[in-house]
């Protein structure tokens, strides 16, 4: 951690988080992108999941883009300097916010503290929160 309580993250973590957010929530509003990043970071802080950003993202059976080819394609675009659309820039912004410790999502005029959300999908049983096409719990 930095002195002013800002969490330090690496370029590799930013790259991976940006690409995952793009794959999982590229068509979602910014709030949905941020919420996906928060879920990854919440898992990082949980003993039930891996202890690195990379470990959480590649943990077996968790994020479909790691299995269906979408994540390697997004990473290739990022590496080629082609992550420049408005949507992709929003994914980078959301990744920076999540990696820096942001836990509040402001959606439809209301703040939502997401510090205890660990899952998201298009449909989840017993979901506690919804942003556009994603449900969270």
């Amino acid at each position: 951690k930095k002195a002013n309580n800002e969490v330090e993250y690496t370029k590799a973590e930013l790259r991976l988080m940006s690409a995952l957010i793009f794959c999982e929530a590229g068509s979602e509003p910014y709030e949905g992108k941020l919420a996906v990043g928060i879920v990854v970071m919440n898992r990082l802080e949980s003993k039930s999941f891996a202890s690195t950003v990379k470990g959480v993202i590649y943990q077996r059976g968790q994020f479909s883009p790691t299995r269906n080819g979408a994540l390697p394609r997004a990473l290739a675009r990022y590496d080629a300097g082609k992550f420049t659309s408005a949507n992709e820039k929003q994914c980078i912004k959301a990744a920076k916010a999540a990696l820096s410790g942001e836990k509040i999502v402001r959606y439809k005029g209301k703040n939502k503290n997401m510090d205890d959300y660990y899952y998201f999908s298009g449909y989840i049983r017993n979901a506690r929160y919804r942003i556009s096409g994603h449900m969270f719990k």
Side-chain angles (χ1 to χ4, degrees):
K1 289 196 172 197
K2 290 184 180 170
N4 60 357
N5 226 6
E6 194 178 301
V7 179
E8 242 176 56
Y9 55 85
T10 65
K11 284 189 166 104
E13 288 170 332
L14 176 60
R15 168 187 177 263
L16 192 54
M17 180 76 87
S18 299
L20 180 77
I21 291 171
F22 177 74
C23 293
E24 291 284 7
S27 60
E28 298 287 324
Y30 174 76
E31 298 81 5
K33 292 175 174 77
L34 175 58
V36 165
I38 291 170
V39 164
V40 171
M41 295 308 288
N42 288 346
R43 289 181 176 200
L44 186 62
E45 296 161 12
S46 165
K47 301 227 181 314
S48 303
F49 298 93
S51 59
T52 64
V53 170
K54 184 177 183 177
V56 167
I57 288 173
Y58 285 102
Q59 197 157 345
R60 190 169 169 192
Q62 295 303 309
F63 296 106
S64 60
T66 64
R67 300 187 300 278
N68 67 17
L71 188 60
R73 283 192 302 275
L75 289 168
R77 279 184 59 76
Y78 189 98
D79 294 342
K82 294 180 178 168
F83 225 68
T84 54
S85 72
N87 240 350
E88 289 161 330
K89 286 179 178 171
Q90 270 196 340
C91 293
I92 294 168
K93 180 182 172 190
K96 286 178 177 176
L99 287 164
S100 296
E102 181 61 65
K103 297 289 186 183
I104 307 293
V105 173
R106 185 162 181 81
Y107 186 58
K108 294 190 174 174
K110 292 189 176 137
N111 284 350
K112 178 72 174 171
N113 185 333
M114 296 197 64
D115 70 354
D116 64 343
Y117 285 74
Y118 297 93
Y119 300 94
F120 63 85
S121 188
Y123 174 78
I124 298 183
R125 283 186 54 178
N126 306 320
R128 296 182 287 146
Y129 192 57
R130 180 177 196 117
I131 297 176
S132 190
H134 276 93
M135 297 169 86
F136 294 84
K137 76 172 186 180

